Amino acid sequence: MTALPPARRPGIPPLAGGATGAESLRPLLDTVLTALHTGARDRGGPLPPGGPATVTARVEAALGNTGSAGDVLPDKGTGPHEALTTLVRTLTAGAADPADPLCVAHLHCPPLAVAAAADLAADALNPSLDSWDQAPAASAIEALLTRTLAAEFYDTPRADALVTTGGTEANQLGILLARERHGPALTVLHGANAHHSIPRAAWLLGLPPAVAVPTPTGTLDPDHLADALAATTGPTLVTATAGTTDAGLIDPLHRIADLCDRHGADLHIDAAYGGPLALSPRHRDKLAGIGRAHSLTVDLHKLGWQPVAAGLLLVPDTALLAPLAHQADYLNATDDTEAGLPDLLGRSLRTTRRPDALKIATTLRALGRDGLVHLIDHTCELAHQLADRLDAHPGFELHAPPTISTVLFRPAHATDEDVAELRRTLLHEGRAVLGRTHADGRLWLKATLLNPHTTARDLDTLITLLEGSTHR
């Protein structure tokens, strides 16, 4: 008697992969897509109204609201279609949806459909990039992708990149590599505008406390940096920022690199937000000097429209990654490596690792350079359109023209308390998702434009909504 394929054994749920995986997934995907559509209709805006308590109550009600684990882990299963319908619809109805043009608070992009579709294949096949025999094609795709993207930033023959979970991991790796080059006495100098992961990485890695350098105009001031370098003894790593999280500002990279050369310091650039500007002929001059960094962080789940996670750490020479080399006999036995099986453990500090390169490579191939540049340029232009509207409006104060796609503004004559309360009111009502940040000693609303489908009418809708809210 011939055994049934594992996916078809009676009483055992089907698998996503294998010869029958696609057939098993097809009806489930239809259920998921229907639930996504229905949940978005239920929500009716950029996020659910009512605030945290209301959203939690709705989730509990959808799952049975008994307050016990039985709602999520019932004694008897409800079946895949009911579970998908209930959970996906509930998730969608309670989501802050970055695809809504009024959801503009954070560096939280709406992913492209082609990228999300590619991610399904990664989920179904479940490659793990900790050994070649778990990810033969995935490891080759990643190698091609990382070399290709590294070459966009470094004009060197052996430029390379690692795929990371995002800017935080990439920044940590960049600082780790510098520590391995120079030892545990390494001092990290960073602008006061730097991402919080920079000083945190110094702490995690057992380095001396990182030193914050003043950024009086929002970017790292070369004169202050020169003073800090002169006052620092021993090995030093300077971290610069190309796209701050609060206002999208870019440090003067060439001048910072000159100072690093003069003082014998290494340079790491956090371009998690601004890095993709390097692809655009219109915007790449903003990143002049970026290729002088010893390491570089880029996130494509920001200005790259990828599902989380899609981070990169880039270096000008793959030899700089050597400190990450690691050996575990069951994954990269020496004789296997000598026989030609690729050694993947040195490509990350993680062991089990998703093939996030797949969705990125699929997107790049689908859009091409021209298509991606169009998205970048168009999105930056949308930010300028919003800034122009706010600047011309007597009811609002614009902080400054946007550098990338972040716009800071506030209602005219409002107090900081008014600004904070306005933002929370819009969140509670589910009408708009705006960020907040301090600049020049005041609190500002922050709109981060990352949705290339946003229209001029959407921008006018946002302003009209804010006008009405400020007049209450």
Side-chain angles (χ1 to χ4, degrees), residues 199-216:
R200 195 178 192 203
W203 167 71
L204 284 168
L205 294 167
L207 298 174
V211 178
V213 179
T215 54

Side-chain angles (χ1 to χ4, degrees), residues 117-443:
D119 232 10
L120 171 64
D123 288 341
L125 295 169
N126 211 27
S128 179
L129 280 98
D130 49 316
S131 65
W132 182 87
D133 58 355
Q134 298 176 81
S139 60
I141 290 171
E142 181 179 87
L144 287 170
L145 175 78
T146 51
R147 290 196 298 267
T148 297
L149 290 177
E152 294 293 325
F153 294 88
Y154 291 111
D155 186 17
T156 53
R158 286 163 44 88
D160 202 355
L162 304 178
V163 178
T164 72
T165 55
T168 293
E169 183 188 352
N171 285 337
Q172 290 172 353
L173 284 173
I175 295 172
L176 170 65
L177 292 174
R179 186 194 72 177
E180 294 306 289
R181 289 193 297 271
H182 298 292
L186 178 73
T187 297
V188 176
L189 301 180
H190 65 87
N193 62 349
H195 191 261
H196 61 83
S197 62
I198 297 294
R200 195 178 192 203
W203 167 71
L204 284 168
L205 294 167
L207 298 174
V211 178
V213 179
T215 54
T217 61
T219 57
L220 184 53
D221 181 75
D223 292 335
H224 286 298
L225 177 59
D227 292 341
L229 284 166
T232 303
T233 58
T236 306
L237 174 70
V238 173
T239 69
T241 304
T244 59
T245 54
D246 57 356
L249 302 180
I250 298 173
D251 290 339
L253 304 180
H254 259 318
R255 294 182 65 190
I256 292 170
D258 287 343
L259 286 169
C260 289
D261 289 346
R262 190 178 309 154
H263 289 269
D266 284 5
L267 174 61
H268 171 78
I269 298 176
D270 177 3
Y273 179 11
L277 297 178
L279 299 171
S280 168
R282 184 184 301 178
H283 294 287
R284 65 167 60 111
D285 285 350
K286 296 175 181 178
L287 300 180
I290 197 167
R292 299 175 66 183
H294 291 80
S295 56
L296 172 65
T297 289
V298 175
D299 258 5
L300 294 176
H301 56 241
K302 293 180 172 62
L303 200 63
W305 299 281
Q306 297 300 294
V308 173
L312 295 161
L313 175 76
L314 305 101
V315 293
D317 192 315
T318 190
L320 291 169
L321 302 175
L324 300 179
H326 184 66
Q327 206 272 327
D329 196 56
Y330 76 105
L331 294 173
N332 60 344
T334 301
D335 58 318
D336 277 350
T337 303
E338 291 173 349
L341 294 184
D343 178 356
L344 304 182
L345 274 187
R347 305 294 298 178
S348 178
L349 291 181
R350 292 172 285 151
T351 303
T352 302
R353 189 161 62 84
R354 295 184 80 251
D356 288 314
L358 174 65
K359 62 196 173 192
I360 302 171
T362 302
T363 301
L364 297 183
R365 184 175 177 86
L367 272 63
R369 182 183 298 274
D370 287 351
L372 189 59
V373 168
H374 174 69
L375 289 182
I376 293 168
D377 290 351
H378 178 63
T379 303
C380 292
E381 176 58 30
L382 285 170
H384 281 279
Q385 291 181 25
L386 176 60
D388 290 345
R389 282 166 162 77
L390 290 166
D391 195 32
H393 195 298
F396 296 97
E397 180 183 352
L398 178 70
H399 181 262
T403 300
I404 306 178
S405 67
T406 299
V407 182
L408 302 187
F409 64 99
R410 54 185 284 145
H413 312 300
T415 66
D416 284 359
E417 291 75 17
D418 293 335
V419 173
E421 183 60 30
L422 170 61
R423 174 180 174 273
R424 286 191 293 268
T425 297
L426 293 172
L427 287 175
H428 189 84
E429 295 175 350
R431 302 172 75 191
V433 190
L434 289 164
R436 53 178 284 172
T437 190
H438 281 90
D440 300 333
R442 292 192 292 168
L443 183 64

Side-chain angles (χ1 to χ4, degrees), residues 22-76:
E23 179 185 346
S24 300
L25 279 170
R26 201 176 304 277
L28 297 178
L29 291 180
D30 186 64
T31 298
V32 168
L33 295 174
T34 299
L36 283 168
H37 175 77
T38 306
R41 184 190 62 200
D42 293 344
R43 186 181 66 244
L47 81 166
T54 299
V55 173
T56 299
R58 288 174 184 151
V59 170
E60 290 175 347
L63 297 182
N65 196 28
T66 67
S68 71
D71 301 322
V72 178
L73 182 61
D75 291 334
K76 183 176 178 59

